[in-house]
Amino acid sequence: MRSVQQYRGDDFYCDVAIPDPGSLDVVHEDELVLAFHHTRPFWTNHIVIVPKRHIASLTTVSAADEHVVRRLLEVVQSIAADTERTTGAAAVLTNLGEYQDSKHLHVHVHSGPHR
């Protein structure tokens, strides 16, 4: 398994995070969704939430993905509420196109200053 810090592919989530969550600081895991503290955080508090099934991005979600995306959003909502409660604020973000380094749908929940 590649080191988390040395990964250079285009789908960190399918290649590293989902197969080896033990290498991460996991916040939530169930059969559909994995959430963990970002391995290279941009903000003081930075959690990433991903579906375990490969979905390329928000703009490629189809009707067949509905149950996975519903669960993803439930977890995002819970983590965002926890973040807001403990830090006083939270932001929820997903990237698309060239802004999306890892070509797998993922949502960032963050708060605090940019690192």
Side-chain angles (χ1 to χ4, degrees):
M1 186 64 63
R2 295 179 199 161
S3 164
V4 169
Q5 295 302 323
Q6 296 174 351
Y7 181 73
R8 300 278 186 250
D10 69 355
D11 188 346
F12 174 81
Y13 306 111
C14 278
D15 294 344
V16 177
I18 295 164
D20 186 19
S23 66
L24 306 168
D25 184 2
V26 173
V27 174
H28 171 90
E29 183 175 16
D30 62 34
E31 66 282 352
L32 298 175
V33 175
L34 176 65
F36 57 93
H37 289 274
H38 200 292
T39 59
R40 291 176 294 149
F42 300 138
W43 296 276
T44 304
N45 303 293
H46 189 171
I47 297 170
V48 180
I49 305 98
V50 301
K52 287 186 170 180
R53 179 167 93 193
H54 182 80
I55 300 171
S57 79
L58 182 65
T59 56
T60 67
V61 170
S62 71
D65 302 318
E66 181 178 349
H67 72 288
V68 174
V69 174
R70 281 182 184 276
R71 182 63 187 145
L72 177 74
L73 290 175
E74 288 170 356
V75 174
V76 168
Q77 182 181 35
S78 174
I79 290 171
D82 264 358
T83 301
E84 181 183 21
R85 190 171 27 264
T86 60
T87 69
V92 177
L93 167 74
T94 192
N95 294 307
L96 303 169
E98 292 179 19
Y99 292 156
Q100 189 180 7
D101 289 338
S102 192
K103 304 307 181 193
H104 185 119
L105 173 60
H106 58 285
V107 178
H108 302 266
V109 173
H110 63 87
S111 69
H114 194 268
R115 297 177 97 184

